Amino acid sequence: MADLAARDAQFRMKDRYRSNIISIREIKDGKVVREFSSQVYKKTEDEDIETLYRLCIRASEAGSWEAVIGGTTTDEKMTWAEFANRVKANVVSRVAREASRRDVQGHLKEHISKFRGEVTSKRLFKWACEEDPVTRFYPFRKRIETLAQIQASGLLDVQKEIAELKKMKPKGSAKKRQERLTEKPRAIPKDSELEKWLDEIEDDLVQWVFALIATYGLRPSEAWHAEEIDEKGLITVPGDGLTKTELHYAPPVPREWVDRYKLRENFREMSERLNDRWKIRWEERDGVLIPVNNSQVSNSLWRNVYRTTGNVTKKLFAAAAEGDGQDWVRPYDLRHSFAIRCFDSEEVRDYPTEQFAQWMGHGVEVHKRIYLKWMPAARRKEAVQGRFDHFGAKEKAPIEEAKEETFELPADILKKLKKLEKLEKLLGDND
């Protein structure tokens, strides 16, 4: 926000007291001539802040906010198909990452463009209500998000409809019950099962990338952007829009897997092969190149395991987190497995939970609420007993006590991680 003032931008962001929505101030001759709500851009969401920052720059260059945001055309005569196309063009201009706009574009193409009659906010409200907010909470939430993008486009005012729809979301115990019904339990393999599965993967590139994700707890897409593994085994995961989080570093857990799967030895070669096999696509936004298909390339790993023909990597099965039987381990489950391994591993037992969260590039609340949630009961009990015995022998109380260690992050990055934690809590993200 301060950067806009340094640029002497005509339009600048303003943090509103007791409001999650960012305001816009128009400045002329050093004076505020008007202030208005950005309507849908939230100060707790990094992508919203970045998008609004770019809009402020473009509007300042154009000399008009309405010239960039699209103005309101509530009374303009157009068909639903024309309306959908204009909203889509606006969304593409504002939202760089394809995965972030996929659901909106699908709604515009498959639903909204096929409406008949006058373009009205009432019709969109009716469409959103076709999904039950209790039994179909996730699709209902996605429709609200689509209306939010329509509001952001400036083509139709649906702010009142969004407010009414949000009131319909389940709250309290009803919300918790709904979350339990819709949440997909993670399948967490034992380390011995995971190691055996990795050893048996014949494709050396696929083996290397799965071992990298498992050893360092990476989000699958971070495998494409990791910069190096140093002589101590620490991996560098960049920020700056390349990944979901800020720059962070992580040690290998267990350390033995670095040599077993030649993660450091073959890092450069495998990184190049990975990017050749499943290519990252880049787009320039405001003079900066950013990856736009992180989700798609990481889904390539999922498809590699899921498909049943061709060069297939067999599935790894583990005991289901809830109920009886087994479920197959998705690539993202390897990240959850790392979090649980950190909790019960003797290698890193002296480090607090806050440190594990830093290694994984998220907040401690997210780490506890989402990542440790799926630890099997027997494994949790064994880990707690092991920690109790370990720290009891040292005569200190300890699970959350910080210690002097090598991997502390700079204060500015810790501040950003706390902000990311608030964002993840808001979105109910699985990280």
Side-chain angles (χ1 to χ4, degrees), residues 352-385:
T353 302
E354 286 82 357
Q355 189 68 71
F356 304 152
Q358 290 175 23
W359 294 343
M360 298 183 71
H362 56 217
V364 66
E365 171 61 26
V366 167
H367 191 85
K368 292 177 179 178
R369 177 171 53 88
I370 295 178
Y371 284 85
L372 298 184
K373 177 178 181 178
W374 302 115
M375 185 185 298
R379 188 167 177 177
R380 182 184 295 273
K381 181 178 180 180
E382 183 178 347
V384 170
Q385 184 63 55

mmCIF file of all heavy atoms in Angstrom, residues 352-385:
data_model
loop_
_atom_site.group_PDB
_atom_site.id
_atom_site.type_symbol
_atom_site.label_atom_id
_atom_site.label_comp_id
_atom_site.label_asym_id
_atom_site.label_seq_id
_atom_site.Cartn_x
_atom_site.Cartn_y
_atom_site.Cartn_z
ATOM 1 N N PRO A 352 9.960 -27.481 18.135
ATOM 2 C CA PRO A 352 8.549 -27.254 18.456
ATOM 3 C C PRO A 352 7.676 -27.284 17.207
ATOM 4 O O PRO A 352 8.157 -27.186 16.077
ATOM 5 C CB PRO A 352 8.554 -25.851 19.076
ATOM 6 C CG PRO A 352 9.687 -25.160 18.380
ATOM 7 C CD PRO A 352 10.743 -26.219 18.184
ATOM 8 N N THR A 353 6.374 -27.392 17.439
ATOM 9 C CA THR A 353 5.413 -27.436 16.334
ATOM 10 C C THR A 353 5.512 -26.194 15.456
ATOM 11 O O THR A 353 5.348 -26.266 14.232
ATOM 12 C CB THR A 353 3.989 -27.577 16.891
ATOM 13 O OG1 THR A 353 3.925 -28.762 17.688
ATOM 14 C CG2 THR A 353 2.967 -27.670 15.774
ATOM 15 N N GLU A 354 5.780 -25.036 16.077
ATOM 16 C CA GLU A 354 5.913 -23.800 15.295
ATOM 17 C C GLU A 354 6.986 -23.934 14.222
ATOM 18 O O GLU A 354 6.851 -23.396 13.120
ATOM 19 C CB GLU A 354 6.249 -22.621 16.212
ATOM 20 C CG GLU A 354 5.091 -22.130 17.063
ATOM 21 C CD GLU A 354 4.885 -22.955 18.319
ATOM 22 O OE1 GLU A 354 5.616 -23.963 18.506
ATOM 23 O OE2 GLU A 354 3.996 -22.601 19.117
ATOM 24 N N GLN A 355 8.056 -24.655 14.548
ATOM 25 C CA GLN A 355 9.143 -24.822 13.591
ATOM 26 C C GLN A 355 8.715 -25.698 12.421
ATOM 27 O O GLN A 355 9.015 -25.407 11.265
ATOM 28 C CB GLN A 355 10.356 -25.436 14.274
ATOM 29 C CG GLN A 355 11.594 -25.459 13.421
ATOM 30 C CD GLN A 355 12.126 -24.061 13.155
ATOM 31 O OE1 GLN A 355 12.648 -23.415 14.054
ATOM 32 N NE2 GLN A 355 11.981 -23.588 11.940
ATOM 33 N N PHE A 356 7.975 -26.764 12.712
ATOM 34 C CA PHE A 356 7.489 -27.627 11.639
ATOM 35 C C PHE A 356 6.621 -26.828 10.664
ATOM 36 O O PHE A 356 6.705 -27.002 9.438
ATOM 37 C CB PHE A 356 6.676 -28.798 12.209
ATOM 38 C CG PHE A 356 7.399 -29.640 13.228
ATOM 39 C CD1 PHE A 356 6.698 -30.319 14.210
ATOM 40 C CD2 PHE A 356 8.783 -29.752 13.207
ATOM 41 C CE1 PHE A 356 7.350 -31.097 15.154
ATOM 42 C CE2 PHE A 356 9.455 -30.534 14.147
ATOM 43 C CZ PHE A 356 8.740 -31.204 15.124
ATOM 44 N N ALA A 357 5.766 -25.969 11.213
ATOM 45 C CA ALA A 357 4.888 -25.150 10.372
ATOM 46 C C ALA A 357 5.703 -24.223 9.475
ATOM 47 O O ALA A 357 5.389 -24.041 8.293
ATOM 48 C CB ALA A 357 3.918 -24.341 11.239
ATOM 49 N N GLN A 358 6.778 -23.647 10.020
ATOM 50 C CA GLN A 358 7.641 -22.774 9.219
ATOM 51 C C GLN A 358 8.292 -23.549 8.083
ATOM 52 O O GLN A 358 8.410 -23.055 6.960
ATOM 53 C CB GLN A 358 8.700 -22.127 10.107
ATOM 54 C CG GLN A 358 8.146 -21.095 11.071
ATOM 55 C CD GLN A 358 9.211 -20.575 12.017
ATOM 56 O OE1 GLN A 358 10.408 -20.642 11.720
ATOM 57 N NE2 GLN A 358 8.793 -20.065 13.164
ATOM 58 N N TRP A 359 8.745 -24.754 8.361
ATOM 59 C CA TRP A 359 9.363 -25.570 7.315
ATOM 60 C C TRP A 359 8.397 -25.821 6.163
ATOM 61 O O TRP A 359 8.806 -25.937 5.010
ATOM 62 C CB TRP A 359 9.810 -26.915 7.891
ATOM 63 C CG TRP A 359 10.918 -26.833 8.897
ATOM 64 C CD1 TRP A 359 11.763 -25.772 9.114
ATOM 65 C CD2 TRP A 359 11.308 -27.852 9.831
ATOM 66 N NE1 TRP A 359 12.646 -26.067 10.123
ATOM 67 C CE2 TRP A 359 12.400 -27.330 10.582
ATOM 68 C CE3 TRP A 359 10.853 -29.133 10.101
ATOM 69 C CZ2 TRP A 359 13.030 -28.066 11.575
ATOM 70 C CZ3 TRP A 359 11.481 -29.865 11.102
ATOM 71 C CH2 TRP A 359 12.559 -29.348 11.828
ATOM 72 N N MET A 360 7.103 -25.920 6.489
ATOM 73 C CA MET A 360 6.115 -26.246 5.469
ATOM 74 C C MET A 360 5.488 -25.006 4.837
ATOM 75 O O MET A 360 4.695 -25.114 3.908
ATOM 76 C CB MET A 360 5.029 -27.140 6.068
ATOM 77 C CG MET A 360 5.569 -28.475 6.562
ATOM 78 S SD MET A 360 4.295 -29.580 7.201
ATOM 79 C CE MET A 360 3.443 -30.038 5.684
ATOM 80 N N GLY A 361 5.845 -23.825 5.345
ATOM 81 C CA GLY A 361 5.377 -22.597 4.735
ATOM 82 C C GLY A 361 3.927 -22.270 5.037
ATOM 83 O O GLY A 361 3.215 -21.731 4.183
ATOM 84 N N HIS A 362 3.471 -22.576 6.255
ATOM 85 C CA HIS A 362 2.129 -22.171 6.655
ATOM 86 C C HIS A 362 2.136 -21.840 8.155
ATOM 87 O O HIS A 362 3.158 -21.989 8.829
ATOM 88 C CB HIS A 362 1.080 -23.240 6.323
ATOM 89 C CG HIS A 362 1.355 -24.597 6.900
ATOM 90 N ND1 HIS A 362 1.077 -25.770 6.232
ATOM 91 C CD2 HIS A 362 1.903 -24.988 8.088
ATOM 92 C CE1 HIS A 362 1.416 -26.801 6.986
ATOM 93 N NE2 HIS A 362 1.905 -26.358 8.111
ATOM 94 N N GLY A 363 0.997 -21.383 8.674
ATOM 95 C CA GLY A 363 0.911 -20.992 10.072
ATOM 96 C C GLY A 363 0.736 -22.183 10.993
ATOM 97 O O GLY A 363 0.300 -23.263 10.586
ATOM 98 N N VAL A 364 1.049 -21.969 12.263
ATOM 99 C CA VAL A 364 0.984 -23.068 13.226
ATOM 100 C C VAL A 364 -0.449 -23.533 13.449
ATOM 101 O O VAL A 364 -0.702 -24.721 13.674
ATOM 102 C CB VAL A 364 1.656 -22.656 14.560
ATOM 103 C CG1 VAL A 364 0.878 -21.551 15.256
ATOM 104 C CG2 VAL A 364 1.830 -23.859 15.472
ATOM 105 N N GLU A 365 -1.419 -22.618 13.384
ATOM 106 C CA GLU A 365 -2.819 -23.006 13.565
ATOM 107 C C GLU A 365 -3.265 -23.940 12.445
ATOM 108 O O GLU A 365 -3.938 -24.945 12.683
ATOM 109 C CB GLU A 365 -3.708 -21.766 13.618
ATOM 110 C CG GLU A 365 -5.196 -22.056 13.598
ATOM 111 C CD GLU A 365 -5.671 -22.899 14.771
ATOM 112 O OE1 GLU A 365 -5.020 -22.878 15.834
ATOM 113 O OE2 GLU A 365 -6.684 -23.598 14.627
ATOM 114 N N VAL A 366 -2.882 -23.624 11.227
ATOM 115 C CA VAL A 366 -3.193 -24.501 10.081
ATOM 116 C C VAL A 366 -2.509 -25.849 10.268
ATOM 117 O O VAL A 366 -3.090 -26.902 9.997
ATOM 118 C CB VAL A 366 -2.742 -23.838 8.759
ATOM 119 C CG1 VAL A 366 -2.764 -24.845 7.604
ATOM 120 C CG2 VAL A 366 -3.647 -22.655 8.431
ATOM 121 N N HIS A 367 -1.280 -25.824 10.737
ATOM 122 C CA HIS A 367 -0.517 -27.067 10.933
ATOM 123 C C HIS A 367 -1.233 -27.996 11.905
ATOM 124 O O HIS A 367 -1.392 -29.197 11.640
ATOM 125 C CB HIS A 367 0.873 -26.724 11.449
ATOM 126 C CG HIS A 367 1.824 -27.868 11.438
ATOM 127 N ND1 HIS A 367 2.561 -28.210 10.321
ATOM 128 C CD2 HIS A 367 2.149 -28.769 12.398
ATOM 129 C CE1 HIS A 367 3.309 -29.270 10.597
ATOM 130 N NE2 HIS A 367 3.077 -29.622 11.854
ATOM 131 N N LYS A 368 -1.679 -27.439 13.017
ATOM 132 C CA LYS A 368 -2.340 -28.265 14.034
ATOM 133 C C LYS A 368 -3.744 -28.699 13.594
ATOM 134 O O LYS A 368 -4.139 -29.848 13.785
ATOM 135 C CB LYS A 368 -2.429 -27.491 15.347
ATOM 136 C CG LYS A 368 -1.087 -27.240 16.014
ATOM 137 C CD LYS A 368 -1.281 -26.398 17.286
ATOM 138 C CE LYS A 368 0.022 -26.142 18.003
ATOM 139 N NZ LYS A 368 -0.157 -25.296 19.204
ATOM 140 N N ARG A 369 -4.478 -27.730 13.012
ATOM 141 C CA ARG A 369 -5.890 -27.988 12.707
ATOM 142 C C ARG A 369 -6.077 -28.891 11.499
ATOM 143 O O ARG A 369 -6.993 -29.711 11.453
ATOM 144 C CB ARG A 369 -6.605 -26.650 12.474
ATOM 145 C CG ARG A 369 -8.067 -26.759 12.080
ATOM 146 C CD ARG A 369 -8.718 -25.384 12.092
ATOM 147 N NE ARG A 369 -7.992 -24.430 11.295
ATOM 148 C CZ ARG A 369 -8.190 -24.250 9.986
ATOM 149 N NH1 ARG A 369 -9.076 -24.977 9.350
ATOM 150 N NH2 ARG A 369 -7.502 -23.341 9.318
ATOM 151 N N ILE A 370 -5.195 -28.777 10.518
ATOM 152 C CA ILE A 370 -5.375 -29.515 9.264
ATOM 153 C C ILE A 370 -4.399 -30.675 9.134
ATOM 154 O O ILE A 370 -4.778 -31.786 8.775
ATOM 155 C CB ILE A 370 -5.231 -28.562 8.058
ATOM 156 C CG1 ILE A 370 -6.361 -27.534 8.067
ATOM 157 C CG2 ILE A 370 -5.228 -29.345 6.740
ATOM 158 C CD1 ILE A 370 -6.284 -26.517 6.953
ATOM 159 N N TYR A 371 -3.126 -30.453 9.447
ATOM 160 C CA TYR A 371 -2.112 -31.462 9.128
ATOM 161 C C TYR A 371 -1.982 -32.560 10.178
ATOM 162 O O TYR A 371 -1.751 -33.712 9.838
ATOM 163 C CB TYR A 371 -0.766 -30.775 8.868
ATOM 164 C CG TYR A 371 -0.754 -30.135 7.510
ATOM 165 C CD1 TYR A 371 -1.273 -28.863 7.316
ATOM 166 C CD2 TYR A 371 -0.306 -30.824 6.402
ATOM 167 C CE1 TYR A 371 -1.318 -28.292 6.063
ATOM 168 C CE2 TYR A 371 -0.341 -30.279 5.138
ATOM 169 C CZ TYR A 371 -0.854 -29.003 4.979
ATOM 170 O OH TYR A 371 -0.904 -28.453 3.731
ATOM 171 N N LEU A 372 -2.097 -32.191 11.435
ATOM 172 C CA LEU A 372 -2.010 -33.224 12.466
ATOM 173 C C LEU A 372 -3.344 -33.916 12.708
ATOM 174 O O LEU A 372 -3.419 -34.905 13.433
ATOM 175 C CB LEU A 372 -1.487 -32.621 13.774
ATOM 176 C CG LEU A 372 -0.080 -32.027 13.712
ATOM 177 C CD1 LEU A 372 0.362 -31.555 15.091
ATOM 178 C CD2 LEU A 372 0.927 -33.029 13.143
ATOM 179 N N LYS A 373 -4.384 -33.411 12.075
ATOM 180 C CA LYS A 373 -5.727 -33.953 12.277
ATOM 181 C C LYS A 373 -5.818 -35.420 11.881
ATOM 182 O O LYS A 373 -6.519 -36.209 12.511
ATOM 183 C CB LYS A 373 -6.725 -33.130 11.471
ATOM 184 C CG LYS A 373 -8.157 -33.654 11.536
ATOM 185 C CD LYS A 373 -9.087 -32.760 10.754
ATOM 186 C CE LYS A 373 -10.519 -33.265 10.823
ATOM 187 N NZ LYS A 373 -11.458 -32.372 10.109
ATOM 188 N N TRP A 374 -5.118 -35.801 10.813
ATOM 189 C CA TRP A 374 -5.287 -37.141 10.268
ATOM 190 C C TRP A 374 -4.253 -38.136 10.785
ATOM 191 O O TRP A 374 -4.078 -39.214 10.217
ATOM 192 C CB TRP A 374 -5.249 -37.091 8.741
ATOM 193 C CG TRP A 374 -6.294 -36.183 8.176
ATOM 194 C CD1 TRP A 374 -6.096 -35.024 7.485
ATOM 195 C CD2 TRP A 374 -7.714 -36.342 8.261
ATOM 196 N NE1 TRP A 374 -7.296 -34.453 7.142
ATOM 197 C CE2 TRP A 374 -8.308 -35.240 7.601
ATOM 198 C CE3 TRP A 374 -8.548 -37.309 8.841
ATOM 199 C CZ2 TRP A 374 -9.684 -35.075 7.502
ATOM 200 C CZ3 TRP A 374 -9.916 -37.150 8.744
ATOM 201 C CH2 TRP A 374 -10.465 -36.051 8.082
ATOM 202 N N MET A 375 -3.549 -37.788 11.850
ATOM 203 C CA MET A 375 -2.609 -38.740 12.422
ATOM 204 C C MET A 375 -3.381 -39.913 13.037
ATOM 205 O O MET A 375 -4.257 -39.708 13.875
ATOM 206 C CB MET A 375 -1.755 -38.076 13.511
ATOM 207 C CG MET A 375 -0.675 -38.995 14.061
ATOM 208 S SD MET A 375 0.241 -38.270 15.461
ATOM 209 C CE MET A 375 0.972 -36.850 14.674
ATOM 210 N N PRO A 376 -3.087 -41.148 12.599
ATOM 211 C CA PRO A 376 -3.778 -42.308 13.178
ATOM 212 C C PRO A 376 -3.632 -42.335 14.692
ATOM 213 O O PRO A 376 -2.580 -41.973 15.236
ATOM 214 C CB PRO A 376 -3.077 -43.501 12.510
ATOM 215 C CG PRO A 376 -2.538 -42.941 11.224
ATOM 216 C CD PRO A 376 -2.144 -41.537 11.537
ATOM 217 N N ALA A 377 -4.680 -42.767 15.367
ATOM 218 C CA ALA A 377 -4.712 -42.717 16.829
ATOM 219 C C ALA A 377 -3.536 -43.464 17.464
ATOM 220 O O ALA A 377 -2.897 -42.970 18.407
ATOM 221 C CB ALA A 377 -6.038 -43.282 17.327
ATOM 222 N N ALA A 378 -3.237 -44.662 16.940
ATOM 223 C CA ALA A 378 -2.152 -45.453 17.525
ATOM 224 C C ALA A 378 -0.810 -44.742 17.353
ATOM 225 O O ALA A 378 0.030 -44.735 18.259
ATOM 226 C CB ALA A 378 -2.112 -46.834 16.876
ATOM 227 N N ARG A 379 -0.628 -44.122 16.196
ATOM 228 C CA ARG A 379 0.627 -43.422 15.932
ATOM 229 C C ARG A 379 0.738 -42.167 16.807
ATOM 230 O O ARG A 379 1.819 -41.835 17.289
ATOM 231 C CB ARG A 379 0.700 -43.045 14.449
ATOM 232 C CG ARG A 379 2.032 -42.473 14.012
ATOM 233 C CD ARG A 379 2.129 -42.427 12.501
ATOM 234 N NE ARG A 379 3.368 -41.824 12.049
ATOM 235 C CZ ARG A 379 3.730 -41.712 10.765
ATOM 236 N NH1 ARG A 379 2.929 -42.186 9.811
ATOM 237 N NH2 ARG A 379 4.874 -41.147 10.426
ATOM 238 N N ARG A 380 -0.396 -41.487 17.015
ATOM 239 C CA ARG A 380 -0.393 -40.303 17.867
ATOM 240 C C ARG A 380 -0.013 -40.677 19.318
ATOM 241 O O ARG A 380 0.788 -39.999 19.959
ATOM 242 C CB ARG A 380 -1.760 -39.627 17.843
ATOM 243 C CG ARG A 380 -1.842 -38.351 18.679
ATOM 244 C CD ARG A 380 -3.257 -37.797 18.676
ATOM 245 N NE ARG A 380 -3.664 -37.372 17.355
ATOM 246 C CZ ARG A 380 -3.425 -36.162 16.860
ATOM 247 N NH1 ARG A 380 -2.757 -35.271 17.592
ATOM 248 N NH2 ARG A 380 -3.840 -35.837 15.662
ATOM 249 N N LYS A 381 -0.605 -41.759 19.792
ATOM 250 C CA LYS A 381 -0.323 -42.191 21.165
ATOM 251 C C LYS A 381 1.153 -42.546 21.315
ATOM 252 O O LYS A 381 1.803 -42.161 22.307
ATOM 253 C CB LYS A 381 -1.201 -43.390 21.521
ATOM 254 C CG LYS A 381 -0.983 -43.889 22.944
ATOM 255 C CD LYS A 381 -1.913 -45.053 23.270
ATOM 256 C CE LYS A 381 -1.691 -45.544 24.697
ATOM 257 N NZ LYS A 381 -2.590 -46.675 25.028
ATOM 258 N N GLU A 382 1.688 -43.279 20.341
ATOM 259 C CA GLU A 382 3.094 -43.672 20.393
ATOM 260 C C GLU A 382 4.007 -42.446 20.356
ATOM 261 O O GLU A 382 5.010 -42.375 21.071
ATOM 262 C CB GLU A 382 3.407 -44.595 19.209
ATOM 263 C CG GLU A 382 4.823 -45.127 19.202
ATOM 264 C CD GLU A 382 5.074 -46.068 18.038
ATOM 265 O OE1 GLU A 382 4.088 -46.499 17.388
ATOM 266 O OE2 GLU A 382 6.252 -46.372 17.771
ATOM 267 N N ALA A 383 3.628 -41.446 19.508
ATOM 268 C CA ALA A 383 4.434 -40.232 19.397
ATOM 269 C C ALA A 383 4.408 -39.433 20.696
ATOM 270 O O ALA A 383 5.440 -38.924 21.163
ATOM 271 C CB ALA A 383 3.929 -39.375 18.239
ATOM 272 N N VAL A 384 3.224 -39.295 21.293
ATOM 273 C CA VAL A 384 3.107 -38.555 22.546
ATOM 274 C C VAL A 384 3.909 -39.234 23.646
ATOM 275 O O VAL A 384 4.610 -38.575 24.427
ATOM 276 C CB VAL A 384 1.618 -38.425 22.945
ATOM 277 C CG1 VAL A 384 1.497 -37.877 24.375
ATOM 278 C CG2 VAL A 384 0.878 -37.508 21.976
ATOM 279 N N GLN A 385 3.829 -40.573 23.699
ATOM 280 C CA GLN A 385 4.588 -41.301 24.705
ATOM 281 C C GLN A 385 6.089 -41.124 24.498
ATOM 282 O O GLN A 385 6.851 -40.914 25.443
ATOM 283 C CB GLN A 385 4.240 -42.797 24.662
ATOM 284 C CG GLN A 385 4.923 -43.632 25.748
ATOM 285 C CD GLN A 385 4.491 -43.221 27.142
ATOM 286 O OE1 GLN A 385 3.295 -43.197 27.440
ATOM 287 N NE2 GLN A 385 5.457 -42.868 27.996
#
